[in-house]
Amino acid sequence: MNTAEDPQPETVRIRLDLAYDGSAFHGWAAQPGLSTVEGTLREGLATLFRREVPLIVAGRTDAGVHARGQVVHLDLTAAEWSGLVRGRSITAEEALVRRLAGVLNAQRGAIVVFAAREVAPDFDARFSALSRTYRYRIADAPGLQDPLRRSDTAWHRTRLDAEAMGLEAASVDGLRDFGSFCRPRERSTTIRELQRFSMERDDAGIITARITADAFCHHMVRALIGACMDVGEGRREPGWLLTRLAVPSWDEKVRLAPPAGLVLESVQYPADEQLGVRAEQTRALRDSL
């Protein structure tokens, strides 16, 4: 048992880059009795290190939402980190990726950790991030509904006006209070900088949305896309998103887009020497525009 005089073991901070099929899980966050991405990854790490290893994630995803470029960080003791090599001619980074692949094998590829590396102690997967980018796919005609892509594409029963949706998306870029598109949480701000929001129909006929912000609050991405779909379907008049933003309050008019079409594509970070500064800036609660 450690006392106040006992030295704490030296630790190293590790960044993991991973992808997952969200249809196999009840979201990112660990929940008792449910299969989640965080819970599964923590179980795997506990198997490797014989202890609970806390994780900090760049962005929590809802049930059914996927990730191609998720980032987490964790802290290991220096002995745990160096011990991964076990005398083999590989790096600790390679060893951790291989061993995680082994303990996650039961998931049949639903979670893949494709990179691990030691990072600066002030790196924070959540607070050091500059932005997150999501992609959303919509198939709005029977001929576009590919069964092999049903887990990452939302199927919509009627034809949508992609041009109108694109104009709606572009109209709400910038630093705004997105309280009308965020489920409220105590001690959390709804002010965000929406850096890019586009929607267009590609050559194959699929409507693809791309959305980047410094951060997203709870349900913000699906609420914004759902509002654009309301306009594209003709349920709402053009200009609906700006009208909603004028009164930043969550209510029954919000319609969430289905989770299946949503993928966290990437998380962007500053240069290493700016990680700590960025984390402190993000932790400061933004309360005004």
Side-chain angles (χ1 to χ4, degrees):
M1 180 175 173
N2 288 335
T3 67
E5 291 76 25
D6 290 335
Q8 295 298 311
E10 181 186 354
T11 61
V12 292
R13 180 148 295 183
I14 306 303
R15 167 177 168 167
L16 300 180
D17 293 83
L18 62 149
Y20 48 84
D21 177 356
S23 60
F25 303 100
H26 293 269
W28 163 264
Q31 302 178 61
L34 295 177
S35 177
T36 68
V37 182
E38 181 186 26
T40 301
L41 188 54
R42 284 171 55 181
E43 287 176 9
L45 288 164
T47 298
L48 295 182
F49 298 108
R50 302 294 189 267
R51 67 174 179 90
E52 287 293 321
V53 180
L55 300 174
I56 300 297
V57 69
R60 293 187 176 190
T61 49
D62 295 338
V65 175
H66 317 290
R68 179 174 285 114
Q70 184 67 278
V71 179
V72 303
H73 84 249
L74 55 102
D75 292 329
L76 299 176
T77 68
E80 288 171 334
W81 181 237
S82 61
L84 288 166
V85 176
R86 294 181 177 177
R88 293 170 294 175
S89 58
I90 60 173
T91 65
E93 288 87 348
E94 292 170 321
L96 183 54
V97 170
R98 289 186 189 182
R99 296 187 68 188
L100 281 172
V103 296
L104 295 173
N105 186 56
Q107 301 303 315
R108 298 179 179 273
I111 305 177
V112 175
V113 177
F114 54 86
R117 62 186 176 94
E118 184 177 352
V119 290
D122 54 359
F123 173 83
D124 188 295
R126 177 185 177 189
F127 290 114
S128 294
L130 291 172
S131 63
R132 290 94 170 153
T133 296
Y134 285 84
R135 183 263 292 160
Y136 194 87
R137 283 170 47 93
I138 306 169
D140 60 343
L144 301 174
Q145 295 171 354
D146 181 356
L148 300 183
R149 297 207 63 171
R150 67 189 184 280
S151 68
D152 81 330
T153 306
W155 291 4
H156 196 266
R157 65 184 182 278
T158 58
R159 195 73 169 173
L160 295 167
D161 184 338
E163 183 176 356
M165 291 165 66
L167 291 172
E168 285 295 306
S171 73
V172 293
D173 283 357
L175 182 66
R176 302 175 184 272
D177 188 340
F178 287 93
S180 49
F181 294 104
C182 297
R183 188 177 291 279
R185 285 181 167 176
E186 190 177 357
R187 295 188 299 275
S188 179
T189 181
T190 53
I191 297 173
R192 297 290 189 268
E193 183 185 5
L194 192 58
Q195 298 166 358
R196 176 193 178 189
F197 189 16
S198 65
M199 280 192 164
E200 58 186 6
R201 193 181 297 277
D202 65 20
D203 292 341
I206 298 293
I207 298 174
T208 301
R210 299 189 185 280
I211 182 167
T212 300
D214 57 349
F216 293 96
C217 41
H218 191 40
H219 286 335
M220 178 177 165
V221 178
R222 290 172 60 199
L224 285 170
I225 292 172
C228 288
M229 292 173 71
D230 280 350
V231 173
E233 192 178 320
R235 296 177 71 235
R236 303 289 183 186
E237 292 296 320
W240 169 240
L241 271 73
L242 282 175
T243 300
R244 284 284 302 166
L245 284 173
V247 183
S249 178
W250 180 277
D251 59 28
E252 72 281 354
K253 296 176 184 177
V254 177
R255 181 172 74 151
L256 297 182
L262 189 58
V263 179
L264 173 59
E265 289 283 354
S266 61
V267 184
Q268 294 76 40
Y269 293 94
D272 288 351
E273 62 271 16
Q274 293 297 315
L275 290 170
V277 172
R278 175 61 183 173
E280 289 304 313
Q281 291 173 340
T282 308
R283 286 189 180 95
L285 185 63
R286 181 188 280 159
D287 58 7
S288 62
L289 294 173

